[in-house]
Amino acid sequence: MTGELSPIDKAKFVAAKRAADYVEDGMRVGLGTGSTAAWLVRCLGEQVRDGGLRFKGVPTSTRTADLAREVGIEVISLDEAKWLDVTIDGADEFDGDLNLIKGGGGALLQEKIVATASDQMVVIADIGKEVEHLGAFPLPIEVIPFGWQTTQALVEETLISMDVLGRQSSLRMNGDHPFVTDEGNYIMDLHLQRIGNPRQLSLVINQMPGVVENGLFIDICDAVVIGYGDGRVEVRDINEGTVEQERLDFLETDNLFTDLAD
Ligand code: 5RP
């Protein structure tokens, strides 16, 4: 155990712990990427080891694949699974319609493919991710390296006619070099501040040559499990609104807390 977790880590942990209940024996499960998803993978790994849970996981990044194998989860590819019962993943923002911005961890492409190939997508997030309007978090778009500056110019020009407040963009860096995704592409972050029409923006961005995919998840998420720093969790369903509120016992006693690295 590494000592006291921050309230935000507690919130992420309880959301992940509650969301692990969606996974049942025999399921094929999409495993998201990011710090909240890493909690989920650890929780599920514990249930595999100690509780005899049996399921197959489809990771959305090499990071998640490595962690899943490390904690004892059987990992298969999406093509082996073909279709998934549920995908559980984090998000950078979610709004009242459960539309999302994702890709803060640079895995949006695999995340969107996997979530779309699932009967159900469940998002796990701390309450700080809730927004009235998407866009304060920079919108990541995955672009191919060839001609990326031309693509960037085209994107910025196109944003002039979109319902957004900002139009700046920046190439995501990893030290001195561009950040490279698992697919060998670059990520451009769009600093839009506020997105008036996420559906339209998503369609327009994806039509541009050079853009592979964008981080707007529209009509993909079915439920959000929201964690609070005091251990409360709330489940919001796309059709029924808030369907559950409870407080989870928070015990920093098990080996889930030994490695907090994302
Ligand atoms: C990775 C993602 C993550 O789900 C998102 O960035 C949230 O991350 P975290 O749980 O670390 O806050 O989209 O591409």
Side-chain angles (χ1 to χ4, degrees):
M1 195 176 99
T2 54
E4 185 72 8
L5 291 180
S6 68
I8 197 160
D9 275 322
K10 286 182 183 175
K12 290 178 179 189
F13 170 71
V14 292
K17 189 175 179 187
R18 170 63 185 82
D21 293 347
Y22 283 87
V23 178
E24 296 172 9
D25 274 340
M27 280 188 167
R28 290 156 298 175
V29 179
L31 302 170
T33 295
S35 56
T36 320
W39 282 120
L40 171 86
V41 173
R42 291 189 192 97
C43 287
L44 290 173
E46 188 179 60
Q47 290 185 26
V48 167
R49 290 191 309 274
D50 303 343
L53 178 67
R54 295 172 65 84
F55 73 97
K56 296 181 201 302
V58 174
T60 52
S61 63
T62 50
R63 267 171 292 164
T64 297
D66 290 346
L67 179 61
R69 288 195 184 95
E70 195 182 303
V71 300
I73 294 172
E74 183 182 349
V75 168
I76 59 170
S77 70
L78 181 58
D79 286 331
E80 286 170 313
K82 294 191 175 56
W83 193 259
L84 305 176
D85 297 284
V86 63
T87 285
I88 306 174
D89 198 352
D92 299 301
E93 287 185 349
F94 65 91
D95 69 11
D97 296 324
L98 306 195
N99 291 324
L100 318 170
I101 286 184
K102 284 186 52 56
L108 68 98
L109 180 56
Q110 290 190 20
E111 290 172 337
K112 199 182 265 193
I113 294 170
V114 167
T116 305
S118 306
D119 283 341
Q120 197 181 14
M121 182 198 192
V122 176
V123 159
I124 44 179
D126 59 275
I127 184 63
K129 305 286 182 65
E130 182 177 30
V131 295
E132 198 174 336
H133 299 284
L134 298 175
F137 189 92
L139 175 66
I141 60 174
E142 183 153 346
V143 300
I144 63 166
F146 176 82
W148 70 266
Q149 286 167 306
T150 304
T151 302
Q152 180 176 30
L154 187 64
V155 168
E156 288 190 357
E157 194 182 309
T158 304
L159 289 174
I160 295 172
S161 57
M162 296 282 103
D163 185 4
V164 293
L165 281 184
R167 288 200 304 272
Q168 300 298 313
S169 65
S170 53
L171 185 71
R172 193 177 298 180
M173 302 297 286
N174 183 9
D176 292 339
H177 302 283
F179 174 91
V180 177
T181 69
D182 279 349
E183 308 305 317
N185 297 316
Y186 292 167
I187 295 283
M188 208 170 289
D189 291 303
L190 309 185
H191 304 271
L192 307 174
Q193 298 168 42
R194 183 184 188 280
I195 302 172
N197 189 337
R199 186 183 307 276
Q200 181 193 43
L201 183 66
S202 176
L203 290 172
V204 169
I205 288 176
N206 275 14
Q207 280 178 346
M208 290 182 214
V211 173
V212 182
E213 191 48 86
N214 72 82
L216 285 165
F217 282 49
I218 311 294
D219 295 340
I220 295 178
C221 173
D222 298 283
V224 180
V225 181
I226 304 164
Y228 293 80
D230 61 2
R232 279 179 298 136
V233 284
E234 187 180 320
V235 181
R236 275 190 218 158
D237 182 276
I238 187 63
N239 297 315
E240 296 161 51
T242 299
V243 290
E244 187 183 312
Q245 283 176 314
E246 62 176 316
R247 186 183 297 267
L248 294 191
D249 288 336
F250 187 83
L251 301 171
E252 291 188 48
T253 50
D254 61 331
N255 56 12
L256 286 176
F257 300 97
T258 53
D259 175 16
L260 296 181
D262 178 8

